[in-house]
Amino acid sequence: MGKDSFSDGDDKKGANLFKTRCAQCHNLAASEGNKIGPNLHGLFGRKTGQVDGFSYTDANKAKGITWAEDTLFEYLENPKKYIPGTKMAFGGLKKAKDRNDLITHLRNATK
């Protein structure tokens, strides 16, 4: 497993990480709305700041990247460093393995 780039992780471990670290602010299913954070359904291939009905910061809207495994890998390590001015109050996942597991789960659960 790469330490500096995404590689497939463990979906089950990623699901647990989502439940304990993300679910209080985000939903995954298309039928669920936004919470404190935007709904993540359809995340992969979407540009930053694009979920209808969610109030993003200008910094998030202006970042202009497309969410994919590599961009999420970097973002989830330190969201406030990757998008200065974001309102996401999450310190990040420092371990590459945790990010790989979470991203693998998000990829599977947000289709």
Side-chain angles (χ1 to χ4, degrees), residues 1-84:
M1 232 181 274
K3 291 199 180 288
D4 297 325
S5 61
F6 174 78
S7 60
D8 286 333
D10 183 315
D11 184 283
K12 187 174 179 181
K13 288 180 180 176
N16 189 54
L17 279 167
F18 184 84
K19 182 179 176 184
T20 60
R21 306 291 301 275
C22 313
Q24 68 186 29
C25 295
H26 295 282
N27 283 319
L28 297 174
S31 62
E32 299 172 326
N34 296 320
K35 292 170 109 175
I36 293 169
N39 183 299
L40 299 179
H41 183 78
L43 173 66
F44 288 81
R46 183 169 70 212
K47 289 203 177 287
T48 54
Q50 299 297 310
V51 173
D52 286 340
F54 187 77
S55 177
Y56 288 96
T57 61
D58 289 341
N60 198 294
K61 289 186 272 189
K63 183 68 176 181
I65 58 102
T66 300
W67 293 122
E69 290 87 349
D70 60 337
T71 51
L72 284 166
F73 186 85
E74 189 175 347
Y75 175 72
L76 289 170
E77 182 177 17
N78 187 340
K80 290 186 182 298
K81 180 179 178 186
Y82 191 72
I83 303 180

